[in-house]
Structure formats: C-alpha cells, structure tokens
Amino acid sequence: MISQHEILSGVIVDDDDPLTLAELCASCAITGEAVITLVEHGIVETVSGVDVAGGRRVSRNSVLRVQTALRLQRDLNVNVEGAALALDLLEEIKRLRRMAAGLEKDSAESQ
Amino acid sequence: MEYKDYYKIMGVAKDASQDEIKRAYRKLARKYHPDVSKEKDTEQRFKEVGEAYEVLKDPEKRAAYDRLGASWKAGQEGFRPPPDWNAGFEFHGGDSFGQNAGAEGFSDFFESLFGGGGRGGFRRRADARGRAERGEDSHAKVLIDLEDSYHGAAKSIVLHTAALTPDGHPHVKERTLNVKIPQGIKEGQSIRLQGQGSAGWQGGSAGDLYLEVGFNPHPLYAVTGADVSLTLPVSPWEAALGARIAVPTPAGKVELSVPPQSSSGKRMRLKGRGIPGNPPGDFYVTLAIVLPASIGEREKALYESLKQASSNFNPRAKLGV
C-alpha cells in the first residue's frame, strides 16, 4: 500500500536495458509464438550483444511498440502487417507534429 | 446519474440500420482510438463510443434502450430507470461483452440498465492459472512542463484501471501515484516504474508501468529533442548597432551578445543550454526585428534621414526587382 506522499522513482526507457524474449512475453501477456511473429514483422527490435543464456534480447522500447500493436489489434481489428505499418506511421506523425509545432511558434512570433 | 443518448454519441439517426451503426462505429473507433487520435479526451470519447456501440449493435439491447428512451424527457435531471423497464426482454450471449469498451468498464448509466449476469470476455486470460505468474505491464501518459525536465519534478497522476469487484462485476478503479520526473527527460521518452503495472497471479510479482512523457505547449519555447529554441524580438537599432540582451531560458536569464548588422532570422546558438543530459541539448535564439506599435513625428523624420543615407541599399536585389 503506497502512502499518498511517497514519490516513486523510475528509470528512463532506453536501449541500455534490453529484455529477454521470456520477459517480453510476461510483460505483454503474449505467447512465444506471438513474439516470433512480431520480430518477423519488425514490431519487436532485437538488439545485438552477448548475454548469459545465449538467447536473443529485445530493446525496452519494444514493450511500448507491442502494447500499442496489441491495443490496435484488440480495439480496431488490425492485423500484424497493418499494426507494423501503423506503428511506423504513428512515429513519423509524432516526429512531424513536434517539428510543425516548433515552426508554427517561430512563424507566429516573427509576425 | 445522467441519461446517455447513444444515437447522438454515434452520430446516427434513431432509425439507423444495423449496418449504418456498424459503419459509424468503425469510423469513430479509428478517429478516437487513443493511440491514433490527437483530439482532447480521446480515451473518454473512445469509451463512450464503445459503450454506445455495445448497446446499439445488439438488437435486443437496442430495443430495450429505445423503449427506455421514450419515457425520458430531454433536460430531465437525475435519471433512474423505472423498475420494470426491461420486462419481457431477455439478454442472451455476453461472450463479447466488454470488448468494445476496451476492457475499461462501462458508465454508471450502462451499469444501471444492463449490469448483472452474463458477463464474459472481460478478463484477458481465459482460465485461472495454477502457477504464480507475473502481472502484465501497463502504460499511461503524463504531461509535464519543459521546466520540469530542466529541473526534475514530482508529478501526481491519476490512473484508471479496469478491475473486478469481489462478486465479479467490472468497474473502473482509480489510483493516484506521485512520480519523480527525472531531470533531462525528453518528449516521447518513457519512464518505467517497476511493480506498478497489473497485479500478478497466484503470488507472482506485479508488472511494470510505462509512463510516456509529453510536454505541455510552452508560451515561449519550442522543443525538438533536447534542443530548445526561442524567437527573440529585437529593435532595429539593437540589430544594426549590436547589443547585450537578457534572454530568458528555462534555467534562468542569460546575457546574449547580438553582433552589429544582424538581420531578422539570424540564428544564434547557446551551447549546452538546452535540456540537461549527457550531452545536454543546445538553446537556439532566432532574432526577429520588431518596430514599436506607433512611431512619432520625430522618429519618422529620423527614419527619413536614414532612408536618404542608405539609398544604395536594395533589400530585394536578389529578387531581380
């Protein structure tokens, strides 16, 4: 039971903290077969490097991509290929919106 | 409790066909899905649309709902369904119950009409597991100010999660978390909070919570990655003669030397004054020459002298005019 005043600290998600495939399964409540499919479609990014068990590791960012893909599948009936495309497009859209917001601000202020 | 007009929510006429309702749902679900939409309150809207579709797509529920609507007057406060409003209606199935609401629970209005038995498909897992299992990870979004990233901050967030009451009814549980926003976090990055996701099964550990960070729009600054930029208004004489100017940054005022003969659009870089980090981002200042709102006669005369003295200067030479 967390007290009202306790402040929780977290870690910024980046590529320095990869997970095993088994950890990804538990994190997103999906089967090993599902993970393989997601890797094949580029939704999950494997990272290279030596690890203890000799198995593959995936980037922490993959958890976020998989969660989004699962929501798209559950709520909008999107299949894996569509979800992979949607993820790429969503990331590009976010990047462009940030750029546009910066440009709009510059243009508004120089008038 | 408020009456909900499901036809209005879905934007269909009261005599719309089932096909029209399905088409309307698909269009609205795409429009308001929280991962896709940038509209305000998308989660609320998505839930509303899902709930409306849950009722209208099922001819039995739709008929019961229509009968109820007939006895409700617009503008009436405090809605309460008459005790026998659904007499004679049987609700079958329930295998896809809760799917369209995104497993987030339904409104009080819906619960008062259709709450009760027949719920299935709410849980993501079909059977009870015998062994201990780690809970799933969950995700949420938090909006912070640019200054919070510069200095670090503590933010309070409210999470809504779907849960089951002891007697098996889905409802929305609210919890408040106080989260430390690490210094140097950039827009789009996520913070992983261990153990704050869904509870585990049979004594397994809880999953993690991934908090995606977004920045509130700032009145002064624009942010791209770790770089922060500002448009700096300067007077014509400051630009022509050069000046030392105080410039605001999220970390406090900085003095900038504007070189003489600077034009509008000139970009100057203050290295390392962007979002802190390793390496820190940079702070960019773009000059914009501005004139006073009104110019008196004396100023006008001085500008005329300047015009005579600068008759060789053609700012549009490159345009061929």
Side-chain angles (χ1 to χ4, degrees):
Chain A
M1 173 80 167
I2 307 273
S3 85
Q4 287 274 348
H5 304 290
E6 182 174 341
I7 298 179
L8 299 167
S9 283
V11 176
I12 299 180
V13 173
D14 59 26
D15 290 335
D16 288 346
D17 180 24
L19 10 171
T20 63
L21 298 185
E23 284 169 335
L24 180 63
C25 287
S27 159
C28 301
I30 52 178
T31 62
E33 289 82 11
V35 170
I36 291 170
T37 306
L38 294 170
V39 171
E40 284 169 358
H41 286 84
I43 290 180
V44 167
E45 305 146 342
T46 51
V47 297
S48 53
V50 181
D51 76 289
V52 177
R56 285 189 291 183
R57 291 192 167 243
V58 301
S59 70
R60 191 60 70 172
N61 194 44
S62 295
V63 173
L64 302 166
R65 284 167 64 85
V66 171
Q67 286 177 345
T68 303
L70 290 175
R71 283 191 295 271
L72 289 173
Q73 191 181 47
R74 176 194 73 195
D75 299 332
L76 299 180
N77 224 22
V78 176
N79 64 11
V80 185
E81 289 87 354
L85 176 62
L87 283 168
D88 288 345
L89 291 173
L90 286 172
E91 275 168 24
E92 178 70 357
I93 286 174
K94 278 186 194 163
R95 190 185 70 79
L96 290 170
R97 279 190 188 141
R98 287 197 285 266
M99 258 179 66
L103 290 170
E104 264 174 33
K105 182 176 272 304
D106 283 346
S107 123
E109 284 170 356
S110 55
Q111 270 166 32
Chain B
M1 171 173 49
E2 255 181 58
Y3 175 83
K4 282 185 179 280
D5 185 340
Y6 291 145
Y7 290 99
K8 188 163 170 216
I9 286 171
M10 294 208 56
V12 296
K14 287 196 164 32
D15 62 353
S17 68
Q18 292 302 120
D19 265 351
E20 281 169 334
I21 288 174
K22 188 194 285 197
R23 274 201 298 275
Y25 171 70
R26 284 184 173 152
K27 197 164 157 193
L28 291 171
R30 280 201 304 274
K31 183 174 178 190
Y32 291 118
H33 191 274
D35 284 304
V36 170
S37 169
K38 65 172 179 113
E39 313 240 349
K40 277 189 77 169
D41 306 324
T42 71
E43 283 182 13
Q44 179 64 25
R45 299 296 299 264
F46 185 72
K47 259 177 64 175
E48 263 184 357
V49 164
E51 182 180 306
Y53 184 56
E54 190 67 32
V55 171
L56 299 183
K57 78 177 188 195
D58 176 345
E60 284 173 352
K61 290 198 196 70
R62 183 179 176 183
Y65 173 78
D66 287 346
R67 197 175 101 153
L68 182 79
S71 64
W72 172 77
K73 292 190 258 299
Q76 190 178 42
E77 288 196 3
F79 173 77
R80 198 168 269 293
D84 62 346
W85 75 276
N86 62 352
F89 288 95
E90 283 174 37
F91 299 122
H92 301 107
D95 48 316
S96 65
F97 228 76
Q99 233 172 349
N100 290 319
E104 285 275 301
F106 294 116
S107 66
D108 288 344
F109 172 75
F110 182 98
E111 292 288 334
S112 72
L113 266 46
F114 301 107
R119 290 185 181 268
F122 183 83
R123 291 165 302 160
R124 295 248 276 241
R125 292 178 186 255
D127 316 300
R129 303 279 164 117
R131 57 179 198 277
E133 249 184 59
R134 184 183 177 279
E136 288 164 39
D137 292 341
S138 51
H139 116 294
K141 190 157 174 171
V142 62
L143 288 177
I144 66 170
D145 295 324
L146 177 60
E147 285 82 354
D148 294 333
S149 175
Y150 263 75
H151 306 297
K155 269 270 183 278
S156 194
I157 56 166
V158 180
L159 295 173
H160 296 99
T161 45
L164 292 176
T165 60
D167 52 345
H169 289 282
H171 74 286
V172 175
K173 198 174 65 166
E174 204 182 82
R175 60 179 175 136
T176 303
L177 293 181
N178 290 321
V179 179
K180 178 169 169 225
I181 304 294
Q183 192 187 30
I185 193 153
K186 300 191 269 283
E187 176 143 46
Q189 284 191 311
S190 290
I191 302 170
R192 179 164 74 108
L193 296 166
Q194 279 189 296
Q196 294 299 323
S198 302
W201 278 266
Q202 308 286 347
S205 59
D208 300 335
L209 171 65
Y210 285 80
L211 264 190
E212 188 188 339
V213 169
F215 284 177
N216 287 317
H218 200 287
L220 292 182
Y221 310 113
V223 186
T224 309
D227 295 334
V228 179
S229 52
L230 168 78
T231 297
L232 184 72
V234 294
S235 59
W237 38 96
E238 283 172 330
L241 303 172
R244 294 187 71 81
I245 297 179
V247 172
T249 77
K253 265 190 281 195
V254 171
E255 205 173 63
L256 176 72
S257 273
V258 174
Q261 290 174 271
S262 294
S263 292
S264 268
K266 183 185 174 74
R267 222 156 100 104
M268 302 177 68
R269 182 169 77 143
L270 298 171
K271 198 163 157 55
R273 301 260 184 189
I275 292 181
N278 190 15
D282 297 325
F283 190 88
Y284 289 92
V285 174
T286 303
L287 300 182
I289 297 174
V290 294
L291 270 75
S294 60
I295 304 176
E297 289 306 318
R298 184 163 168 258
E299 285 88 345
K300 269 193 194 154
L302 287 166
Y303 272 113
E304 278 292 338
S305 309
L306 195 52
K307 180 178 164 186
Q308 303 305 325
S310 315
S311 53
N312 285 338
F313 172 54
N314 177 8
R316 290 166 288 283
K318 286 188 186 156
L319 273 59
V321 294

